[in-house]
Amino acid sequence: MNNALPPADELVLVDRELARLEARRSQLLARRAWLVHVLHGPAAFPAPARATTGPVGDSTPRSAQNVLLTLGGVLLTIAALAFTLVSWGSMGIGGRAAVLAVVTSAALAVPVVLLRRGLASTAEVVAALGLVLMVLDAYALHRVALPDTDGPAFAAVASAVLAGAWTAYGTALGRLRTPLPAAVVTAQLPLPLAVLAADGGPLALGWAALATAVVDLVVLLRAKSAAVRGTAAVGTGVLGGWALLAGGGLSLSSPVPAGALLLASAAVALFVAVRAPRGGGWERVARAASVVAGLAVAAAAGGVLRLALPGDWEVPGYVLCAVLLAAVPRAGTAAPRAVRTGLASAGAGVLALGVLWALPPVPAALLGPLARTSPVWSGTHADRVLAWYPSTAPVVLLVAAAAFAVLPRLWSRCTALFLAWATLTALPLSLELPYAPTLALQLLTTATALAVASRPGRLVRGLPAPGASDGEAAERAAVAGDGNVPRWAGWGAVSAPVGASGGVPPREVLGWSALGCGLVSAVGAVAVALDTRGATFAVLGVLLALFVAGAFFSEGARRTVAACAAVVVAAGLVSAAAATAELQGGQTALALLLVPAATALLGARLRRHRVALPVELTGAAVALLAVSTAATASRPAVLALVLALAGVIAAATAVRPERRQFASWTAGALFLLATWVRLAVWDVTTPEAYTLPVTVPALVIGVLRRRRDPEASSWVAYGPGLAATLVPSLFAAWVDPDWQRPLLLGVAALVVTLLGARFRLQALLVLGGTVLVLDGLHELAPYVVQAVGALPRWLPPALAGLLLLAVGATYEQRLRDARRLRERLGRMR
């Protein structure tokens, strides 16, 4: 870059130019602030282009000025109220008229002069005082000149006159911000007050509120002041909501007149939704107005249908209207997207309320059998939880299911699936079906749900392609039913819309939903079938076949769940058969062991299949149930047999390499528990009889471990086995008055210590030596006590002192000996 000036001179020039631009920017900002205050601010300041020596307009700062003006206006208002309410009676009619005319005229005229002088804030306060005085004038006129006039009628006329006068006054003095919003607020009163004066009912009040809301809407659309538009918007919302609530409440008793009011309100709300600008927060306004319009139309149409429908069909009538509203987005209308979405949302809301009304028979049908007071297989059926419920509840659920099924969204398909299941579940209770059809229908519901869970791919057809919900255009096309929306033609793993399933393929979501419904129905069917013995076996047999079929035809984790459910049902069949044979608790436990034995065989067949481990674990849970059942019986010998047979099953499972580590320890624990129970049955109290069955196999395993891994620690290989016998025997020897147990324990501890020293095994040396020393102390304790009792009392303290002196004198040598002993022990394994 070629420069005409040296860098230093050019830098000075650039700095000067930047300073000039900054000064110009400050001037423009000051001018802009003045223009903003002139157009929108509370006060008009003189142009700041030239400096002034003193304040021309209102005093500053602005906050202090506003506080003073507000306080002054409040005080003047209080004075006017006091004069009107207290001092009014002391003056004659002429004086009263003169005072009212002079004070009100002055309060309304002074702001004109103040505005010309640029005192806008002061003019605002005085104008507000004038408005209050006009209200007091109206009150005084009613009390003095027209005392016999009806209060609501006079208030309606007075509010209309005041609204018109304040509108004219605010329009004439456009720089005042108070009169026009005050006029809008006052304009809300004439029509409702007129209806009250004419003794109109709630319907007339609703029409008056709606008419006033329409006037507010016109003001909202045409006014330029933000304060006026905001006030009109509040009035529109409040009075329009009043009209809607009045129409909705009256539609239950007077459907036709109330329906007209609701339809008129819906027309106003739709007008707002259509005329709302596009983009920004106006989209939410349009959507909310459309929702209100949809709810009003549904309430009006449903109320009229109630006249032609019997009582049980009233709610289905509203649901039909809701379905028609929900179908608006798919009708391809030219209405804005926010309007169509709002109408559909209103229909969905009414449909949801109908579904909530129709759902109680579902939990009642599932939980009713649990409320039985008669024994199982007594032939007495459980009482119904709901004594009566409209038979049209399944119709509502079915219509809702069909409505959600046509929507191309994952959540709607899941909802449709749930509603279809709820329809089948609610049918027996709603239609008061007999016992056999009820049971058959519950089994049919279970079979249908499991079939859908096995092959959910058909339910994902028509869902948008992956990522279609990320773009507005794709979502619009999908909602509108555009045939150009791309579809996923593969095996059905369609990516769900964002936030719908967390990235899980839709077929998986639908499959799991169907499986959950099937499991719940299966539990309900079993609960109902417990009324009779034959029904119990029939239902359990059918469920076993269904879950086995589900395990064959399902995919992924659903196959595993179906297989585990089949194991549980098989256990139920075995328990039912045992109850039929009148077997006792221990015998029932032995029969239940057939289930884990079968699962172990199936696991050996399946090997490393993903279903094998869950099935075997479910069988293990059944074995645990068998053990707990045997434990509650009064025959411990049967418990020992059950534990031993469970150990045999675990040992057979441990033959397989993939189950060896866990199953071998489980088998050992079961055999040990069986041994202990058998010893308890034989009244054996010697602890070694319980501990040696643990020590011997543990030491054998430790020897094998050391042969395979010579570097393994002796504590890991031999520590648990030795401690299992030496520690309980040591405690038993300390409380044993005979000499045989301590002698045998000492010999065993000596052998263990010598073996530890010979083979340099730390665990054997430490455990054996510790037990040997403690056992020896136990044997020497009586003699030590006798010797200490024969010595003089001063001798034990003296000996302790000498010992301490000797240790202190040879502390360094003892420390070296202890360190050397620790090093030697540390070199051992």
Side-chain angles (χ1 to χ4, degrees), residues 4 33 44 103 121 142 212 249 254 426 474 548 632 731 742 793:
V103 174
S121 297
H142 179 262
T212 307
S254 303
V548 170
T632 58
F731 282 105
R793 293 187 177 181

Side-chain angles (χ1 to χ4, degrees), residues 198-215:
D199 294 331
L203 184 62
L205 276 176
W207 279 108
L210 180 61
T212 307
V214 172
V215 175

Side-chain angles (χ1 to χ4, degrees), residues 134 209 313 343 415 485 509 513 643 696 723 733 748 791 797 807:
M134 291 183 71
W313 290 89
L343 293 177
T415 305
V485 177
V509 177
S513 301
L643 289 171
V696 173
L791 294 175
V807 172

Side-chain angles (χ1 to χ4, degrees), residues 734-824:
W734 272 79
V735 297
D736 193 345
D738 298 327
W739 57 272
Q740 293 88 352
R741 183 188 299 276
L743 177 60
L744 294 175
L745 178 62
V747 172
L750 177 61
V751 172
V752 171
T753 304
L754 294 177
L755 290 175
R758 170 67 181 79
F759 295 101
R760 303 178 60 83
L761 298 175
Q762 188 181 106
L764 277 68
L765 183 61
V766 172
L767 285 175
T770 302
V771 172
L772 182 61
V773 171
L774 293 176
D775 186 65
L777 288 177
H778 171 264
E779 294 302 311
L780 293 176
Y783 304 102
V784 172
V785 171
Q786 293 178 3
V788 171
L791 294 175
R793 293 187 177 181
W794 55 269
L795 186 58
L799 294 176
L802 291 175
L803 178 62
L804 291 176
L805 288 176
V807 172
T810 60
Y811 176 75
E812 294 296 334
Q813 181 63 35
R814 302 287 80 77
L815 189 61
R816 286 194 295 270
D817 294 341
R819 188 179 297 112
R820 190 178 299 111
L821 178 60
R822 186 187 63 185
E823 292 175 354
R824 290 177 180 175

Side-chain angles (χ1 to χ4, degrees), residues 551-552 559-560 563-564 567 598-616 656 658-659:
F552 273 104
R559 172 177 293 176
T560 302
C564 295
V567 174
T599 57
L601 293 174
L602 181 60
R605 175 71 176 174
L606 296 176
R607 292 303 226 176
R608 297 186 181 274
H609 194 279
R610 60 181 302 175
V611 177
L613 180 59
V615 167
E616 292 180 68
R656 296 159 50 195
E658 68 273 11
R659 301 284 186 263

Side-chain angles (χ1 to χ4, degrees), residues 94 111 194 234 262 345 383 564 816:
V234 173
L262 288 171
S345 301
D383 296 333
C564 295
R816 286 194 295 270

Side-chain angles (χ1 to χ4, degrees), residues 136-158:
L136 296 177
D137 290 344
Y139 169 74
L141 179 64
H142 179 262
R143 290 294 303 272
V144 175
L146 302 171
D148 297 331
T149 306
D150 182 63
F154 181 84
V157 175

